[in-house]
mmCIF file of all heavy atoms in Angstrom:
data_model
loop_
_atom_site.group_PDB
_atom_site.id
_atom_site.type_symbol
_atom_site.label_atom_id
_atom_site.label_comp_id
_atom_site.label_asym_id
_atom_site.label_seq_id
_atom_site.Cartn_x
_atom_site.Cartn_y
_atom_site.Cartn_z
ATOM 1 N N PRO A 52 -38.573 24.337 15.463
ATOM 2 C CA PRO A 52 -38.773 24.435 16.823
ATOM 3 C C PRO A 52 -40.250 24.562 17.194
ATOM 4 O O PRO A 52 -41.224 24.639 16.332
ATOM 5 C CB PRO A 52 -38.118 25.715 17.141
ATOM 6 C CG PRO A 52 -38.255 26.536 15.952
ATOM 7 C CD PRO A 52 -38.235 25.550 14.813
ATOM 8 N N GLY A 53 -40.555 24.600 18.477
ATOM 9 C CA GLY A 53 -41.850 24.728 19.069
ATOM 10 C C GLY A 53 -42.155 26.263 19.065
ATOM 11 O O GLY A 53 -41.199 27.074 18.897
ATOM 12 N N GLY A 54 -43.369 26.694 19.174
ATOM 13 C CA GLY A 54 -43.829 28.084 19.160
ATOM 14 C C GLY A 54 -45.252 28.114 18.964
ATOM 15 O O GLY A 54 -46.015 27.459 19.726
ATOM 16 N N GLU A 55 -45.724 28.711 17.876
ATOM 17 C CA GLU A 55 -47.160 28.794 17.565
ATOM 18 C C GLU A 55 -47.242 28.428 16.043
ATOM 19 O O GLU A 55 -46.853 29.274 15.252
ATOM 20 C CB GLU A 55 -47.577 30.223 17.966
ATOM 21 C CG GLU A 55 -49.036 30.365 17.607
ATOM 22 C CD GLU A 55 -50.002 29.465 18.400
ATOM 23 O OE1 GLU A 55 -49.712 29.113 19.628
ATOM 24 O OE2 GLU A 55 -50.871 28.853 17.761
ATOM 25 N N SER A 56 -47.861 27.257 15.805
ATOM 26 C CA SER A 56 -47.835 26.799 14.361
ATOM 27 C C SER A 56 -48.629 27.692 13.528
ATOM 28 O O SER A 56 -48.244 27.900 12.364
ATOM 29 C CB SER A 56 -48.378 25.380 14.349
ATOM 30 O OG SER A 56 -49.631 25.294 14.820
ATOM 31 N N THR A 57 -49.695 28.375 13.968
ATOM 32 C CA THR A 57 -50.533 29.174 13.095
ATOM 33 C C THR A 57 -49.696 30.494 12.713
ATOM 34 O O THR A 57 -49.753 30.861 11.542
ATOM 35 C CB THR A 57 -51.824 29.667 13.652
ATOM 36 O OG1 THR A 57 -51.547 30.227 15.002
ATOM 37 C CG2 THR A 57 -52.743 28.512 13.913
ATOM 38 N N THR A 85 -40.304 19.785 16.749
ATOM 39 C CA THR A 85 -40.703 19.664 18.109
ATOM 40 C C THR A 85 -42.075 20.623 18.323
ATOM 41 O O THR A 85 -42.077 21.793 17.739
ATOM 42 C CB THR A 85 -39.625 20.117 19.054
ATOM 43 O OG1 THR A 85 -39.376 21.526 18.912
ATOM 44 C CG2 THR A 85 -38.334 19.388 18.910
ATOM 45 N N CYS A 86 -42.965 20.076 18.931
ATOM 46 C CA CYS A 86 -44.251 20.850 19.271
ATOM 47 C C CYS A 86 -44.840 21.479 18.098
ATOM 48 O O CYS A 86 -45.361 20.905 17.231
ATOM 49 C CB CYS A 86 -43.849 21.703 20.446
ATOM 50 S SG CYS A 86 -45.167 21.978 21.623
ATOM 51 N N ALA A 87 -44.890 22.754 17.938
ATOM 52 C CA ALA A 87 -45.394 23.447 16.795
ATOM 53 C C ALA A 87 -44.702 22.907 15.535
ATOM 54 O O ALA A 87 -45.403 22.708 14.424
ATOM 55 C CB ALA A 87 -45.284 24.951 16.918
ATOM 56 N N GLY A 88 -43.384 22.566 15.637
ATOM 57 C CA GLY A 88 -42.735 22.023 14.400
ATOM 58 C C GLY A 88 -43.338 20.614 13.991
ATOM 59 O O GLY A 88 -43.511 20.304 12.842
ATOM 60 N N ILE A 90 -46.353 19.842 14.472
ATOM 61 C CA ILE A 90 -47.665 20.204 13.922
ATOM 62 C C ILE A 90 -47.533 20.555 12.398
ATOM 63 O O ILE A 90 -48.289 19.978 11.622
ATOM 64 C CB ILE A 90 -48.396 21.269 14.670
ATOM 65 C CG1 ILE A 90 -48.690 20.915 16.087
ATOM 66 C CG2 ILE A 90 -49.588 21.784 13.985
ATOM 67 C CD1 ILE A 90 -49.136 21.979 17.072
ATOM 68 N N ARG A 123 -54.062 19.966 18.094
ATOM 69 C CA ARG A 123 -53.377 21.125 18.686
ATOM 70 C C ARG A 123 -53.820 21.444 20.066
ATOM 71 O O ARG A 123 -55.060 21.129 20.394
ATOM 72 C CB ARG A 123 -53.587 22.448 17.898
ATOM 73 C CG ARG A 123 -52.855 22.370 16.511
ATOM 74 C CD ARG A 123 -53.196 23.741 15.795
ATOM 75 N NE ARG A 123 -52.564 24.820 16.583
ATOM 76 C CZ ARG A 123 -53.091 26.024 16.690
ATOM 77 N NH1 ARG A 123 -54.265 26.281 16.066
ATOM 78 N NH2 ARG A 123 -52.506 26.894 17.448
ATOM 79 N N ASN A 124 -52.998 21.621 21.035
ATOM 80 C CA ASN A 124 -53.296 21.970 22.426
ATOM 81 C C ASN A 124 -54.104 20.746 23.066
ATOM 82 O O ASN A 124 -54.942 20.998 23.832
ATOM 83 C CB ASN A 124 -54.156 23.213 22.535
ATOM 84 C CG ASN A 124 -53.556 24.500 21.951
ATOM 85 O OD1 ASN A 124 -52.328 24.568 21.987
ATOM 86 N ND2 ASN A 124 -54.325 25.367 21.520
ATOM 87 N N ILE A 151 -45.711 22.347 26.505
ATOM 88 C CA ILE A 151 -46.329 23.647 26.609
ATOM 89 C C ILE A 151 -47.445 23.813 25.518
ATOM 90 O O ILE A 151 -47.091 23.862 24.344
ATOM 91 C CB ILE A 151 -45.235 24.779 26.341
ATOM 92 C CG1 ILE A 151 -43.989 24.554 27.349
ATOM 93 C CG2 ILE A 151 -45.798 26.149 26.532
ATOM 94 C CD1 ILE A 151 -42.808 25.358 26.993
ATOM 95 N N ARG A 152 -48.700 23.883 25.980
ATOM 96 C CA ARG A 152 -49.801 23.877 25.049
ATOM 97 C C ARG A 152 -49.453 22.835 23.847
ATOM 98 O O ARG A 152 -49.590 23.207 22.720
ATOM 99 C CB ARG A 152 -50.105 25.273 24.483
ATOM 100 C CG ARG A 152 -50.489 26.202 25.605
ATOM 101 C CD ARG A 152 -50.746 27.620 25.053
ATOM 102 N NE ARG A 152 -49.590 28.270 24.412
ATOM 103 C CZ ARG A 152 -49.375 28.356 23.207
ATOM 104 N NH1 ARG A 152 -50.238 28.049 22.258
ATOM 105 N NH2 ARG A 152 -48.360 28.930 22.762
ATOM 106 N N ALA A 153 -49.184 21.715 24.336
ATOM 107 C CA ALA A 153 -48.566 20.731 23.471
ATOM 108 C C ALA A 153 -49.587 20.001 22.535
ATOM 109 O O ALA A 153 -50.675 19.723 22.953
ATOM 110 C CB ALA A 153 -47.771 19.644 24.137
ATOM 111 N N PRO A 154 -49.146 19.619 21.343
ATOM 112 C CA PRO A 154 -50.075 18.762 20.462
ATOM 113 C C PRO A 154 -50.039 17.325 21.003
ATOM 114 O O PRO A 154 -49.120 16.833 21.617
ATOM 115 C CB PRO A 154 -49.303 18.820 19.155
ATOM 116 C CG PRO A 154 -47.878 19.021 19.423
ATOM 117 C CD PRO A 154 -47.807 19.913 20.707
ATOM 118 N N HIS A 187 -40.792 19.873 24.542
ATOM 119 C CA HIS A 187 -39.693 20.818 24.088
ATOM 120 C C HIS A 187 -38.343 20.181 24.603
ATOM 121 O O HIS A 187 -37.867 20.424 25.666
ATOM 122 C CB HIS A 187 -39.889 22.122 24.889
ATOM 123 C CG HIS A 187 -40.894 23.099 24.163
ATOM 124 N ND1 HIS A 187 -40.413 24.122 23.366
ATOM 125 C CD2 HIS A 187 -42.126 22.990 23.995
ATOM 126 C CE1 HIS A 187 -41.506 24.714 22.899
ATOM 127 N NE2 HIS A 187 -42.520 24.104 23.311
HETATM 128 N N1 LIG B 1 -50.057 25.122 20.777
HETATM 129 C C1 LIG B 1 -49.095 25.504 19.814
HETATM 130 C C2 LIG B 1 -49.554 25.352 18.411
HETATM 131 O O1 LIG B 1 -50.626 24.969 18.102
HETATM 132 C C3 LIG B 1 -47.803 24.656 19.972
HETATM 133 C C4 LIG B 1 -47.184 24.943 21.336
HETATM 134 C C5 LIG B 1 -45.688 24.702 21.379
HETATM 135 O O2 LIG B 1 -45.035 24.708 20.346
HETATM 136 N N2 LIG B 1 -45.112 24.776 22.562
HETATM 137 O O3 LIG B 1 -48.903 25.680 17.545
#
Side-chain angles (χ1 to χ4, degrees):
E55 180 58 42
S56 58
T57 51
T85 66
C86 215
I90 296 172
R123 292 185 59 220
N124 303 329
I151 306 170
R152 296 180 297 107
H187 281 254

